């Protein structure tokens, strides 16, 4: 194995980074509802014993929004940020030798779609304020890479999508060999699996992998399926499934494929379909925090399938019917920080 590797999500989690919806964000039009959504999410995390590092316009605002949560397990950080999707601008963690590193990749608003000037500076400022231990911080902002666009098995395999990483508005439309080399150099990706099919209506990310497929222990991949031939997603997700059957591990073995249901269609006020997906869950060493959408049969089946992949984890459903209104879900709103990167002294201030 290489000297550098990107750990699997389930390996280590000292805390989770989030950012609260506020008047300056796109949540302003439904702010009370969005605040309750984030309170619900933070409560689920803290009730499970997970420390949350929460960006907020002010300490007082954060305490008000998170009333009822275990604030002993919350670090509120007054900060400037554009949006709340910390998965895509938070630090991407790797292990080099035996030491953790927090990589600060460039973020440009999902290919120049949205303002990102403040989000792109969050990791640098976390380091400057000693929230991220300075000795772990590495500036990688010459390369655009969002946390939701890559999945790691912790052993040298990275799963990603060609539509996102080859986007001309991210890194100039580099070829797969060029991108594979960069992922190898910076994340230790000896084996890159390029998914060429699959997309969700209403997705602003150009098919982030965490909306479609997730790697699980035991050479397993959970993927978003579609059994309704009349659904607009049927053909693309069928092609995605067919490609997944061709993927092989570094040892040449096929993956164990576990299908997640596609949520029933959810639409916004203007009739646009929203990219609801059960693949957008967060894994820690002991829990899986699962997005649900007030669809009893689908929600139940999705949680059951995740339990198959993570039999030793506790699956915690979290209602994400508000998160999806801004075209994201639970994984998009969170970024796990492994042990060795977060400055524990910050939580004692």
């Amino acid at each position: 194995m290489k000297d550098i590797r990107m750990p699997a999500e389930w390996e280590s989690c000292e805390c989770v980074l989030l950012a609260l919806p506020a008047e300056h964000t796109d949540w302003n039009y439904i702010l009370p509802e969005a605040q309750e959504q984030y309170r619900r999410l933070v409560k689920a995390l803290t009730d499970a014993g997970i420390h949350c590092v929460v960006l907020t316009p002010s300490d007082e605002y954060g305490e008000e929004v998170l009333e009822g949560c275990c604030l002993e397990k919350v670090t509120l950080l007054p900060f400037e940020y554009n949006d709340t999707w910390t998965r895509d601008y938070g630090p991407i963690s790797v292990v080099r030798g035996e030491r953790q590193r927090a990589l600060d990749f460039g973020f440009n608003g999902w290919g120049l779609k949205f303002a990102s000037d403040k989000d792109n500076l969050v990791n640098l400022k976390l380091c400057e304020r000693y929230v991220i231990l300075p000795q772990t911080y590495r500036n990688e902002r010459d390369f655009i890479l969002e946390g939701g666009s890559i999945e790691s098995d912790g052993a040298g395999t990275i799963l990603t999508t060609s539509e996102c990483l080859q986007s001309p508005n991210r890194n100039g439309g580099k070829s797969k060999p060029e991108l594979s080399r960069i992922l190898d150099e910076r994340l230790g990706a000896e084996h890159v699996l390029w998914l060429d099919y699959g997309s969700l209506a209403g997705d602003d990310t150009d098919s982030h992998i965490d909306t479609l497929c997730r790697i699980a222990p035991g050479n397993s991949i959970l993927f978003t399926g579609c059994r309704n031939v009349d659904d607009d997603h049927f053909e693309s997700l069928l092609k995605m499934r067919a490609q997944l059957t061709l993927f092989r591990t570094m040892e040449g073995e096929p993956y164990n494929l576990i299908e997640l249901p596609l949520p029933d269609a959810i639409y916004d006020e203007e009739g646009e379909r929203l990219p609801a997906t059960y693949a957008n869950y967060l894994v820690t060493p002991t829990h899986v925090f699962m997005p649900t959408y007030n669809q009893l049969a689908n929600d139940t089946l999705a949680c059951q399938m995740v339990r198959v992949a993570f039999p030793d984890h506790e699956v915690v459903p979290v209602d994400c019917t508000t998160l999806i209104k801004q075209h994201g879900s639970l994984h998009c709103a969170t970024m796990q920080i492994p042990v060795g990167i977060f400055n524990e002294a910050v939580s004692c201030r």
Side-chain angles (χ1 to χ4, degrees), residues 255-302:
Y255 283 90
N256 174 38
L257 301 181
I258 302 172
E259 182 174 347
L260 295 168
L262 181 69
D264 295 337
I266 302 173
Y267 298 93
D268 65 13
E269 308 82 25
E270 298 175 354
E272 179 184 358
R273 187 165 179 175
L274 299 171
T277 170
Y278 292 111
N280 208 251
Y281 54 78
L282 172 69
V283 190
T284 72
T286 56
H287 292 74
V288 181
F289 297 91
M290 190 75 190
T292 59
Y293 303 102
N294 199 25
Q295 301 178 12
L296 181 59
N298 286 327
D299 293 347
T300 301
L301 178 58

Side-chain angles (χ1 to χ4, degrees), residues 76 78 92 108 122 125 197 204 313 349:
L76 297 172
I92 294 176
N108 70 351
V122 163
K125 291 185 177 181
Y197 303 99
D204 295 321
H313 282 61
R349 290 179 183 176

Side-chain angles (χ1 to χ4, degrees), residues 37-286:
Q37 169 74 84
Y38 273 78
R39 189 202 68 80
R40 190 161 61 235
L41 175 54
V42 171
K43 188 173 190 307
L45 292 166
T46 55
D47 283 355
I50 294 171
H51 193 97
C52 292
V53 177
V54 182
L55 309 185
T56 173
S58 69
D59 283 334
E60 296 76 17
Y61 175 85
E63 291 182 5
E64 179 182 349
V65 172
L66 300 179
E67 183 179 359
C69 298
C70 180
L71 293 181
E72 292 181 357
K73 292 191 174 296
V74 175
T75 298
L76 297 172
L77 294 175
F79 238 76
E80 288 189 332
Y81 52 95
N82 301 102
D83 218 329
T84 58
W85 306 115
T86 56
R87 171 63 47 182
D88 293 334
Y89 59 79
I92 294 176
S93 304
V94 300
V95 178
R96 183 176 286 277
E98 297 182 356
R99 297 183 179 181
Q100 292 283 355
R101 294 288 183 264
L103 305 187
D104 181 10
F105 287 98
F107 176 69
N108 70 351
W110 303 281
L112 306 177
K113 297 183 182 73
F114 303 96
S116 59
D117 56 313
K118 296 180 177 65
D119 291 343
N120 190 42
L121 296 176
V122 163
N123 296 326
L124 178 62
K125 291 185 177 181
L126 287 173
C127 177
E128 290 175 345
R129 291 171 60 172
Y130 287 84
V131 179
I132 290 176
L133 293 169
Q135 63 267 30
T136 70
Y137 174 85
R138 295 293 180 272
N139 188 333
E140 304 279 351
R141 286 188 290 149
D142 61 314
F143 184 70
I144 303 297
L145 186 67
E146 298 133 22
S149 70
I150 48 175
E151 269 285 294
S152 174
D153 69 349
T157 295
I158 295 290
L159 174 62
T160 189
T161 66
S162 53
E163 182 177 352
C164 179
L165 261 65
Q166 289 191 281
S167 162
N169 285 340
R170 284 178 170 85
N171 292 296
K174 285 183 168 60
S175 67
K176 287 180 182 177
E178 289 176 302
L179 291 165
S180 293
R181 177 184 55 78
I182 293 170
L183 294 176
D184 187 22
E185 291 173 350
R186 307 197 190 197
L187 302 178
E190 300 177 80
H191 184 50
V192 182
L193 298 172
W194 289 96
L195 194 65
D196 300 312
Y197 303 99
S199 62
L200 298 180
D203 175 27
D204 295 321
T205 69
D206 301 310
S207 297
H208 268 188
I209 197 67
D210 70 354
T211 68
L212 299 169
C213 303
R214 305 292 302 279
I215 296 178
N219 292 333
S220 295
I221 294 178
L222 292 102
F223 71 97
T224 301
C226 180
R227 298 299 181 97
N228 180 4
V229 295
D230 295 322
D231 193 294
D232 291 340
H233 296 96
F234 180 78
E235 184 175 349
S236 68
L237 292 179
L238 185 64
K239 289 180 178 179
M240 182 184 79
R241 176 176 183 159
Q243 187 178 15
L244 288 172
T245 65
L246 301 177
F247 282 170
R248 294 294 181 267
T249 68
M250 279 199 285
E251 295 74 30
E253 298 296 323
Y255 283 90
N256 174 38
L257 301 181
I258 302 172
E259 182 174 347
L260 295 168
L262 181 69
D264 295 337
I266 302 173
Y267 298 93
D268 65 13
E269 308 82 25
E270 298 175 354
E272 179 184 358
R273 187 165 179 175
L274 299 171
T277 170
Y278 292 111
N280 208 251
Y281 54 78
L282 172 69
V283 190
T284 72
T286 56

